[in-house]
Amino acid sequence: MKGKEKILIGASVFFVGLLLAIAGMVYASTNISSSGNARWAWSDAIGWIDFYTPNTVMVTSAGITGYASSSLGFISFDCSTPSSGGSVCGTSNYHVTNDGNGNLSGWAWNDAVGWISFCGNASGVPC
């Protein structure tokens, strides 16, 4: 193999790898699993809530970001990553926090039902 061919093949492999890495970043914007029941939550008022489908929800030891899907529209967990609705972000900087042990507190927003409270957690952290 000649030197120019090696460079061309090496550059091609590099760019294909770069494109795959970029594609992975675009599609890996959630840490919610697509399989099993972990992606779902139930609310008597809203019905099933899907944390995976919008591909935006991130759960960390500090909180939840992004928005989930429901029959009443998106449920936004913070103003940094609201759904296309999220009109309340102009007047409120809401968010849902995690104490690192999975105890959530704070507020989420849905344009149809309004505020969704995470204040009844087991740790008793006030909102």
Side-chain angles (χ1 to χ4, degrees):
M1 198 179 276
K2 295 181 181 177
K4 288 183 181 180
E5 291 173 349
K6 286 182 183 178
I7 292 172
L8 182 58
I9 290 172
S12 297
V13 168
F14 171 77
F15 285 115
V16 167
L18 181 62
L19 289 174
L20 289 173
I22 290 170
M25 286 188 295
V26 170
Y27 294 109
S29 57
T30 185
N31 60 359
I32 304 296
S33 175
S34 64
S35 62
N37 293 329
R39 71 184 272 185
W40 300 100
W42 174 260
S43 164
D44 288 338
I46 297 173
W48 287 107
I49 301 167
D50 184 353
F51 287 79
Y52 176 78
T53 297
N55 203 28
T56 64
V57 177
M58 289 293 290
V59 179
T60 68
S61 61
I64 301 176
T65 60
Y67 49 92
S69 176
S70 76
S71 62
L72 295 178
F74 291 121
I75 298 169
S76 175
F77 298 104
D78 69 313
C79 271
S80 299
T81 55
S83 63
S84 59
S87 59
V88 72
C89 288
T91 59
S92 178
N93 186 20
Y94 64 91
H95 56 278
V96 175
T97 61
N98 183 348
D99 70 359
N101 293 315
N103 298 307
L104 305 176
S105 63
W107 297 88
W109 176 262
N110 173 271
D111 287 336
V113 298
W115 294 110
I116 300 170
S117 172
F118 283 80
C119 297
N121 63 55
S123 68
V125 176
C127 288

